[in-house]
Amino acid sequence: MGNNKTRLRPETLIELTKQTDFSEQEIQEWYKGFLKDCPSGFLSVEEFKKIYNNFFPYGDASKFAEHVFRTFDANHDGNIDFREFLCALSITSRGKLEDKLRWAFNMYDVDGNGFVSRAEMLEIVSAIYKMVGSVMRMADDEATPEKRTDKIFRNMDKNNDDNISLEGWQIKEKNNHFILFYSILEFIEGAKGDPSIVRLLQFDPSSNN
C-alpha cells in the first residue's frame, strides 16, 4: 500500500513523459523525492522560500523565490503540485534555450500583460541581488540592480519603449498554404547577444561572466 502511494498511476506517467524530457524512471524518482519533502502532494510558497533560502544562506532569497513560485504555479491556485513542479523543472533544466527564456519571460512579466517593463525587470533583478548577497562579484556597470537593469534594456529594448516584448509564432493562411512567420523576439535575440543575460535568466547567479 505504501509502495503504491509513492508510485504514479501508469496513465499519469505516460502523460508526464510526453509533457517533459524525463524518462519514466526519472519521473518516478522525482515523484518519490517530491512526496518525501511534500507529503501532502503540494508545495506551498513558504516551503518554497525555505528551500531557496537554504541554497542561498548569505542573502535573502524570499522575494526571488516568490517570483519563481508564481511561474511554477501554472494554475495560480497558490500551491505547486507534482505535475507543475516537473514540467517547470523539465524546461529550466533540459529545455532548449528558447524554451528557458520564454519560461523566464513569464517570470519577469510580473503583471502578465505580455511585456516586461523596466519596473518589472528592476523588481526581479533586485530580488536576485538580495538573494546572492555579497557572494557574487559584479562588474562596475552591474554594481547595482539599477545599473544591471539599464544594461539589460540597452541590449534588449531595441525600440526604446521601456518594454520588452515576446511574440510567438504566427500562423497565417495564404493561398491555401500555412506560412509560418517568426517574428524577431526582442527578449530572446537580446539575451542571445549577451551571455550574462542568459546566465541571469537561467537562474544561475552563482557563475560569473
Side-chain angles (χ1 to χ4, degrees):
M1 191 172 172
N3 187 46
N4 289 336
K5 244 183 153 183
T6 58
R7 294 189 68 82
L8 291 163
R9 292 181 300 175
E11 58 270 28
T12 302
L13 191 58
I14 292 171
E15 288 175 8
L16 290 173
T17 57
K18 292 178 180 178
Q19 293 175 352
T20 70
D21 290 320
F22 294 115
S23 68
E24 290 189 6
Q25 183 178 349
E26 287 174 321
I27 292 171
Q28 291 287 18
E29 287 301 314
W30 276 113
Y31 186 60
K32 286 180 185 177
F34 187 84
L35 286 185
K36 183 179 179 181
D37 292 334
C38 311
S40 67
F42 297 96
L43 183 60
S44 71
V45 66
E46 292 304 319
E47 291 168 327
F48 200 74
K49 285 196 280 189
K50 284 180 184 177
I51 293 170
Y52 258 83
N53 280 317
N54 286 337
F55 277 112
F56 297 93
Y58 300 107
D60 182 2
S62 297
K63 197 63 182 176
F64 184 72
E66 287 178 6
H67 288 297
V68 178
F69 183 91
R70 168 176 50 81
T71 316
F72 269 66
D73 182 17
N75 65 359
H76 308 297
D77 67 350
N79 288 292
I80 297 172
D81 62 23
F82 179 68
R83 186 184 297 272
E84 290 171 323
F85 170 79
L86 194 72
C87 287
L89 186 67
S90 177
I91 293 172
T92 57
S93 65
R94 296 188 177 178
K96 295 176 182 177
L97 176 59
E98 286 82 0
D99 294 330
K100 290 179 178 180
L101 293 174
R102 283 188 179 90
W103 190 91
F105 183 90
N106 290 330
M107 184 185 73
Y108 281 72
D109 180 15
V110 177
D111 65 7
N113 71 346
F115 296 91
V116 176
S117 68
R118 185 178 290 271
E120 287 173 324
M121 180 67 73
L122 180 59
E123 181 176 342
I124 302 295
V125 173
S126 296
I128 292 173
Y129 275 50
K130 285 180 181 178
M131 177 173 66
V132 298
S134 58
V135 175
M136 187 174 171
R137 293 179 60 188
M138 302 292 183
D140 288 342
D141 61 349
E142 300 176 357
T144 66
E146 290 78 12
K147 287 184 177 181
R148 181 68 165 182
T149 298
D150 287 342
K151 182 177 180 179
I152 292 173
F153 265 76
R154 280 198 303 272
N155 288 325
M156 299 168 74
D157 183 21
K158 299 305 181 184
N159 62 356
N160 299 313
D161 65 351
D162 271 348
N163 284 292
I164 299 171
S165 63
L166 178 64
E167 298 173 7
W169 290 93
Q170 294 179 325
I171 302 176
K172 295 185 179 180
E173 187 175 8
K174 185 178 181 182
N175 297 327
N176 295 322
H177 293 286
F178 282 103
I179 301 174
L180 298 180
F181 294 91
Y182 190 65
S183 61
I184 302 302
L185 307 181
E186 279 186 303
F187 190 73
I188 290 177
E189 293 305 316
K192 282 181 178 177
D194 185 348
S196 66
I197 295 175
V198 175
R199 179 251 302 163
L200 189 64
L201 300 185
Q202 287 181 311
F203 317 112
D204 186 14
S206 60
S207 60
N208 279 312
N209 294 340

